Amino acid sequence: MANLECRLLAFRAKDARNIRRYLMKEFSFEFLHCQIASAIVVSLTVVCTPAQSLLAQEQPRKNAGSASNSPMAQLLKREIISPNVALEEVQSFLESRIPRMPTARNAAEWQKHADQLRSQMLDQVVFRGQAAVWRSAKTKVEWLDTIDGGPGYRIRKLRYEALPGLWMPAVLYLPENLSGKVPVALNVNGHDPNGKAAPYKQIRCINLAKRGVLVLNPEWFGMGQLRGQMSEHYRMNQLDLCGTSGLAPFFLAMTRGLDVLLSLENADPERVAVSGLSGGGWQTIYISALDTRVKLANPVAGYSSFLTRVRHLSDLGDSEQTPSDMATVADYAHLTAMLAPRSALLTYNAKDDCCFASGHALPPLLEAAAPIYKLFGQESRLRSHVNHDPGTHNYEKENREQFYRLVEEHFFARKSEENSKEIPSESEVKTKEQLQVELPAENADFHSLALDLSKSLPREAALPSDPVAAKLWQQARRPVLHQIVRTHNYTAHAEQIAQDEAHGVQATFWKLKLAGLWTVPVVELTRGEPKATTILVADGGRTNALDQVNRLLALGNRVLAVDPFYVGESKIKSRDYLYALFVAAVGERPLGVQASQLTAIARWSQAAHQSGAVAIVAIGARCSLAALVASALESQAIDGVELHGALGSLKEIIEQNWAVNEKPELFCFGLLEAFDVKQLTALAAPTPIVFPNASDRVKKELANIQDWYKLFGVEYQPW
């Protein structure tokens, strides 16, 4: 009896209440059903529950200040990879996956390819999920009051629906004494808090109106009137999580704006212009490349090619500029060439202090587009301009006059220098209050749209209720999860960097090179002869997991303290979340990279240490999700998972209104559409997934998950 008790106490329990699983493996079935076995289990449960189990609750940290400088802490802080490794590896990873411009022998061949790219971009990137329904909705417009503009024009206020329930405020500049068909222009703006009231934008609108152009000046998400209305751009990825393109509202806001303009009696559909600065420049290239109703495009300091962005951190774009899977179809070089043979003016600034400086951003775009314009015999329709005065991130007078010149030449056939000069109109600029447009009190935004979508997700939430169906469900759903998170079967090659010792703890420092793509730093810690192996990951990196390291060592575990992609030592030092968005844009998923790294490390440890399958202990919502996905897909090398601070539901990401710049790997496109935490846990069975100090949400969402494990012959308590 004493011998049995000692063996059980040495056992690396997945939970004290799972000791019965161990007994079933080590002893006869008949023995387990006798009274003495029951007594042993009850007795040992009491002994193991407080702190001896691997899955025991975390104890409060003592002497935190001194612990951070302890010898153990110093071992965890030891540098394994150089500071630039994470950045260099993700840059190489991205460069190898960005599509290059194809060769085209003639205009017809290119046109066919461009039409195909346009269709793929719209169907596979812009209008995914519920966005396909939004796309087919009729454009609704509500015309409001008219105010005085200035000499020769009036300003009419309006609002229009970008998609059902989401209204965009806008103002229309109406030239006086209109007759016949006249040009129209969509003037979009970028990341300017003044939005449609930005003086340089108003002056552009006024000048076009005085030239006889109908001009729509719409607001942009998160700017001007829409500032602070939960439409900040990094929240569009809440829609991505639901399997609906967060890019769609941006694109629909532009296409509906064109609808409004072209519905006007005097609008000439053959003379349609779009222009804007920065984020407005991005809007310009996107709508102009994908909507051929645009006949003249002038993006100003708004984008560069993906290949350029990889090495120029200033150019890494926000969520809408780097949408999931875009680079599986096209680069911005392709979009620039897709403007052909229509009129285009690419404007950049020589000393841009924001992004897209002319020296590195412009040449690759011209190199891609110029040969295509030549195929059409329209070389003169592709122009570029580099601003030197002031040369900073601007759409000031000189840049505006370049735009006026193009409009005059291509829409009015007027080429005199005088016609391109700006008409003084600073005194006619309105205040933001004067341009304010009333909006519905419950106007939709990214957050409210995601909340509505999430209510019916995941789409196939029900779990089977019999053992055969349960296993078939797992077999069918694992490939679905693999496809969503884009996991890979990485091979690991270990390079030992150094060894050290502190207070009886042996430390081995490893570089694990995975598939020649990623270098993952690992600190292996042991005290005496380890009885089992545990991978430890934490949102704050391994240096913030000291308490768990000490706990696991005390239980006799070999601890592999790991910093996977985007975490701890593997965290990119600058603009890290923008690179995470970039990874999704090339068709991969940060969550999938992390999960693939964890499974590769588990397989490596299993082979290298000959100690059987490993457990994973994860700390924080981000690493917990990666560990859960890894366990759902890897049943041989992972035999237990402990999740501290895990979400009870992916819906919490939306409910708490998190943004992708805070926790980028959580916003995996379409994950919530197919799986929630409960379904991911069900996929992992019979591997126990335990939630120490489980939140009320965890307990609510995973209620009765024990019944699922019983279908696999496992008695299991998740907390």
Side-chain angles (χ1 to χ4, degrees):
M1 180 74 168
N3 183 52
L4 174 60
E5 182 174 348
C6 290
R7 290 180 65 187
L8 286 168
L9 285 174
F11 170 64
R12 180 180 55 79
K14 302 175 182 66
D15 179 47
R17 286 157 291 200
N18 280 323
I19 291 176
R20 186 177 298 275
R21 288 183 67 198
Y22 175 77
L23 290 171
M24 292 177 70
K25 180 179 179 181
E26 296 292 324
F27 300 93
S28 70
F29 182 84
E30 290 77 15
F31 175 76
L32 287 173
H33 282 76
C34 70
Q35 286 185 334
I36 189 169
S38 297
I40 291 170
V41 172
V42 171
S43 173
L44 288 173
T45 299
V46 173
V47 171
C48 295
T49 295
Q52 299 303 313
S53 167
L54 171 63
L55 304 180
Q57 294 183 353
E58 184 177 358
Q59 299 300 308
R61 183 172 179 176
K62 298 179 181 179
N63 300 321
S66 60
S68 64
N69 295 315
S70 68
M72 184 68 71
Q74 295 307 310
L75 292 177
L76 292 173
K77 291 179 181 178
R78 183 81 63 90
E79 181 180 283
I80 298 176
I81 60 175
S82 65
N84 292 327
V85 165
L87 175 60
E88 291 168 356
E89 288 186 340
V90 79
Q91 287 175 329
S92 297
F93 182 83
L94 294 169
E95 280 179 332
S96 67
R97 287 160 174 77
I98 295 169
R100 271 53 171 181
M101 276 289 294
T103 57
R105 292 170 295 182
N106 52 59
E109 185 173 290
W110 169 256
Q111 192 62 62
K112 181 179 179 181
H113 183 65
D115 290 344
Q116 182 181 21
L117 288 178
R118 195 170 288 115
S119 177
Q120 290 176 328
M121 282 288 295
L122 293 173
D123 295 340
Q124 300 173 23
V125 180
V126 180
F127 293 120
R128 303 167 75 175
Q130 185 64 20
V133 178
W134 298 339
R135 181 184 191 180
S136 61
K138 183 179 179 181
T139 302
K140 293 183 180 179
V141 185
E142 294 183 0
W143 294 98
L144 305 173
D145 55 313
T146 300
I147 63 174
D148 291 335
Y153 69 98
R154 293 167 290 123
I155 299 174
R156 187 167 185 185
K157 299 180 180 181
L158 67 143
R159 54 177 175 255
Y160 63 91
E161 269 192 326
L163 53 92
L166 197 165
W167 292 86
M168 304 297 296
V171 290
L172 178 69
Y173 291 74
L174 288 157
E176 292 180 350
N177 304 316
L178 284 175
S179 63
K181 298 295 183 180
V182 300
V184 299
L186 180 66
N187 271 348
V188 287
N189 63 272
H191 298 82
D192 189 321
N194 294 309
K196 66 180 184 300
Y200 65 85
K201 190 184 185 192
Q202 289 192 57
I203 291 172
R204 188 165 85 248
C205 293
I206 292 168
N207 264 262
L208 290 174
K210 290 184 175 184
R211 287 171 164 80
V213 179
L214 287 161
V215 186
L216 186 68
N217 177 1
E219 199 58 273
W220 201 32
F221 297 114
M223 308 299 153
Q225 274 191 253
L226 298 180
R227 191 170 177 81
Q229 292 189 8
M230 300 300 182
S231 289
E232 291 86 351
H233 296 195
Y234 293 129
R235 288 185 169 82
M236 67 164 255
N237 300 87
Q238 294 178 10
L239 295 170
D240 283 2
L241 178 62
C242 298
T244 290
S245 174
L247 175 63
F250 288 89
F251 192 78
L252 286 169
M254 293 184 279
T255 60
R256 304 302 190 210
L258 289 180
D259 291 345
V260 170
L261 280 170
L262 293 174
S263 70
L264 300 173
E265 180 181 356
N266 298 104
D268 184 352
E270 296 304 316
R271 291 185 287 174
V272 179
V274 180
S275 186
L277 167 68
S278 194
W282 168 80
Q283 291 184 78
T284 300
I285 186 59
Y286 232 85
I287 188 66
S288 301
L290 301 183
D291 192 329
T292 57
R293 292 180 296 176
V294 178
K295 307 303 180 185
L296 184 154
N298 178 208
V300 179
Y303 72 102
S304 61
S305 76
F306 278 142
L307 278 173
T308 300
R309 296 177 191 211
V310 169
R311 301 289 173 177
H312 291 86
L313 276 65
S314 63
D315 290 10
L316 293 171
D318 290 346
S319 296
E320 72 278 5
Q321 299 177 31
T322 321
S324 289
D325 300 322
M326 175 181 164
T328 65
V329 178
D331 184 11
Y332 282 95
H334 297 74
L335 266 59
T336 306
M338 287 163 65
L339 298 176
R342 296 166 289 158
S343 297
L345 170 61
L346 309 182
T347 299
Y348 287 85
N349 301 303
K351 299 172 288 185
D352 205 304
D353 49 353
C354 164
C355 42
F356 312 120
S358 61
H360 66 256
L362 180 58
L365 301 177
L366 292 175
E367 182 181 347
I372 305 302
Y373 274 84
K374 186 175 182 179
L375 291 178
F376 286 95
Q378 298 290 348
E379 295 96 322
S380 64
R381 289 192 177 184
L382 175 64
R383 300 184 184 183
S384 63
H385 173 68
V386 176
N387 171 257
H388 293 274
D389 183 15
T392 55
H393 197 65
N394 81 94
Y395 202 162
E396 296 301 333
K397 183 177 179 180
E398 195 217 20
N399 282 339
R400 293 195 295 268
E401 289 184 338
Q402 293 295 319
F403 178 44
Y404 305 151
R405 176 178 287 108
L406 190 66
V407 170
E408 289 282 353
E409 290 184 15
H410 287 268
F411 285 173
F412 295 103
R414 299 190 295 239
K415 294 188 177 182
S416 72
E417 189 69 24
E418 190 66 27
N419 287 330
S420 66
K421 289 184 178 179
E422 184 162 273
I423 303 168
S425 48
E426 287 80 0
S427 62
E428 300 163 39
V429 169
K430 310 299 182 189
T431 65
K432 62 181 181 180
E433 290 77 16
Q434 289 175 303
L435 297 182
Q436 189 84 358
V437 175
E438 185 178 353
L439 291 172
E442 300 299 324
N443 197 30
D445 54 43
F446 299 144
H447 182 55
S448 66
L449 290 169
L451 283 173
D452 287 342
L453 288 172
S454 69
K455 291 176 182 177
S456 60
L457 302 179
R459 299 201 183 281
E460 299 178 16
L463 299 176
S465 57
D466 70 85
V468 174
K471 292 178 181 179
L472 291 174
W473 178 87
Q474 286 187 329
Q475 292 172 11
R477 298 302 288 172
R478 283 197 179 104
V480 175
L481 178 60
H482 161 74
Q483 178 58 32
I484 290 172
V485 299
R486 313 287 169 87
T487 50
H488 297 275
N489 189 17
Y490 294 147
T491 55
H493 297 279
E495 178 186 352
Q496 182 177 310
I497 301 303
Q499 289 184 305
D500 204 345
E501 186 272 337
H503 294 293
V505 174
Q506 299 294 322
T508 305
F509 303 92
W510 298 95
K511 287 182 182 179
L512 291 188
K513 298 184 178 180
L514 306 182
L517 298 172
W518 310 108
T519 303
V520 180
V522 178
V523 179
E524 178 185 344
L525 301 166
T526 59
R527 180 183 288 130
E529 185 65 28
K531 301 176 178 67
T533 302
T534 297
I535 295 172
L536 176 62
V537 289
D539 286 2
R542 66 177 187 265
T543 59
N544 288 289
L546 180 60
D547 287 344
Q548 292 294 338
V549 168
N550 288 328
R551 178 176 73 92
L552 294 168
L553 287 172
L555 292 170
N557 280 263
R558 171 187 290 106
V559 179
L560 301 178
V562 175
D563 281 340
F565 175 69
Y566 201 77
V567 171
E569 199 176 4
S570 296
K571 187 176 176 68
I572 300 165
K573 307 305 178 186
S574 178
R575 296 180 176 243
D576 46 7
Y577 62 91
L578 297 180
Y579 275 109
L581 288 171
F582 211 155
V583 168
V586 299
E588 301 294 332
R589 300 290 182 263
L591 177 61
V593 173
Q594 292 173 337
S596 299
Q597 291 180 347
L598 291 177
T599 57
I601 294 168
R603 292 191 297 270
W604 166 77
S605 175
Q606 189 178 37
H609 298 120
Q610 295 294 304
S611 58
V614 307
I616 300 179
V617 172
I619 305 169
R622 295 160 50 205
C623 283
S624 288
L625 183 58
L628 183 56
V629 170
S631 65
L633 294 173
E634 174 57 67
S635 59
Q636 300 301 313
I638 299 171
D639 70 350
V641 178
E642 176 181 301
L643 306 178
H644 296 258
L647 298 172
S649 170
L650 298 177
K651 295 178 184 180
E652 293 182 78
I653 298 168
I654 300 169
E655 293 163 359
Q656 297 184 41
N657 200 28
W658 288 342
V660 74
N661 59 318
E662 299 169 319
K663 298 172 172 59
E665 55 275 89
L666 298 186
F667 295 84
C668 180
F669 194 100
L671 183 58
L672 179 56
E673 185 178 26
F675 299 95
D676 206 341
V677 172
K678 183 176 182 179
Q679 288 74 33
L680 293 173
T681 303
L683 267 185
T687 300
I689 310 296
V690 179
F691 301 80
N693 298 318
S695 67
D696 291 341
R697 185 62 175 271
V698 168
K699 293 177 180 179
K700 176 184 176 183
E701 297 289 343
L702 274 71
N704 302 319
I705 193 68
Q706 301 95 318
D707 295 337
W708 175 261
Y709 274 75
K710 288 178 182 178
L711 299 178
F712 296 84
V714 177
E715 293 290 337
Y716 152 78
Q717 288 293 331
W719 41 81

